[in-house]
Amino acid sequence: TTEGVTSKIIEKDGFYFYVNGEEIELLAYNGNSSTITTPASYEGNQYKIANHAFRGCGATNIVISEGATSIGDYAFYWKQALQSVTLPNTITSIGMNAFYQCIRLTEITIPSSVTSIGSEAFGVCNSLSSVKILGETPPTLEGENTFLTDGYLKYYVPYKYLNNYINNESWSQYYYDKIMSDTSSFTTADGIAYVVDKLTEEVWVVSKGEDNK
């Protein structure tokens, strides 16, 4: 108890929450589901995912709900069965070694809400081949080897933000030759050329043709 506030650990459907006043953390999970969806909230409140929160988890699929605001250090460390992770647009930070050595994880989408990613957050994710980052401003990389695999890893960013990443010192230092946009193009009969951003499904006019200038 601190200044009249009592801390407590509450279990709800296999999830253990640490509650200390307004501080709420998803502390641990005690279950054996192959697909886990974290709670939408704790009594209507958002929460942080604590360090090492899923250390005993053998799930293959994780869906993190919009109740979560951050992912702690080592939260999904060494989860070698984990194949897919869905992150919501409420997560602002991903901690150090959060998904370290999740060797079956093949792709990840970083929502636009994420502002920082910890050192080796996706280190030794050797099956990882595609990282999609949706933010206009590149997330701060808190250390080297944030993404580290045995293969060739591609980083897809929205077409309209591509230069933000290429010109960002941290991102260009480590990933300059791997940052790209996933686009297709087409030209209409009247000579207008378009680019389609497959990541955001936005369409851009890149040339109006001689008859449309």
Side-chain angles (χ1 to χ4, degrees):
T1 303
T2 304
E3 297 181 355
V5 177
T6 301
S7 62
K8 53 187 177 181
I9 295 177
I10 305 294
E11 187 271 337
K12 293 184 66 176
D13 300 322
F15 296 95
Y16 288 81
F17 287 91
Y18 170 80
V19 182
N20 185 13
E22 295 183 355
E23 178 186 357
I24 305 171
E25 286 189 314
L26 174 53
L27 196 63
Y29 171 73
N30 182 23
N32 55 13
S33 297
S34 60
T35 297
I36 297 172
T37 300
T38 65
S41 67
Y42 174 81
E43 295 185 355
N45 299 301
Q46 291 184 305
Y47 55 85
K48 299 177 181 179
I49 295 178
N51 298 346
H52 301 278
F54 288 83
R55 57 187 172 273
C57 167
T60 56
N61 306 291
I62 299 286
V63 178
I64 298 176
S65 78
E66 293 186 354
T69 60
S70 63
I71 299 173
D73 298 345
Y74 300 90
F76 298 92
Y77 180 84
W78 215 306
K79 296 293 162 277
Q80 299 197 351
L82 188 60
Q83 298 176 18
S84 71
V85 175
T86 302
L87 302 178
N89 203 38
T90 53
I91 295 290
T92 59
S93 64
I94 299 172
M96 177 178 66
N97 294 100
F99 295 93
Y100 186 90
Q101 207 158 355
C102 292
I103 59 173
R104 289 181 172 81
L105 190 64
T106 58
E107 63 179 13
I108 189 74
T109 297
I110 308 295
S112 58
S113 56
V114 172
T115 59
S116 67
I117 306 175
S119 177
E120 296 190 336
F122 296 90
V124 199
C125 292
N126 289 335
S127 296
L128 197 63
S129 61
S130 171
V131 176
K132 299 175 182 178
I133 311 111
L134 302 182
E136 176 179 0
T137 302
T140 299
L141 304 178
E142 302 292 352
E144 296 184 13
N145 299 324
T146 303
F147 304 93
L148 181 64
T149 76
D150 283 344
Y152 186 82
L153 181 55
K154 297 178 180 179
Y155 302 86
Y156 295 105
V157 302
Y159 175 75
K160 62 183 177 182
Y161 303 144
L162 181 58
N163 285 336
N164 295 356
Y165 288 80
I166 291 176
N167 296 325
N168 180 276
E169 183 177 356
S170 294
W171 283 86
S172 62
Q173 179 180 358
Y174 300 115
Y175 311 117
Y176 178 83
D177 61 336
K178 301 175 183 178
I179 299 172
M180 63 192 72
S181 291
D182 189 8
T183 60
S184 62
S185 60
F186 65 92
T187 302
T188 58
D190 57 357
I192 302 177
Y194 296 87
V195 168
V196 180
D197 188 340
K198 296 180 182 179
L199 196 60
T200 63
E201 298 183 350
E202 294 177 295
V203 180
W204 302 84
V205 176
V206 294
S207 174
K208 293 186 177 181
E210 291 297 325
D211 297 334
N212 293 282
K213 290 183 178 179

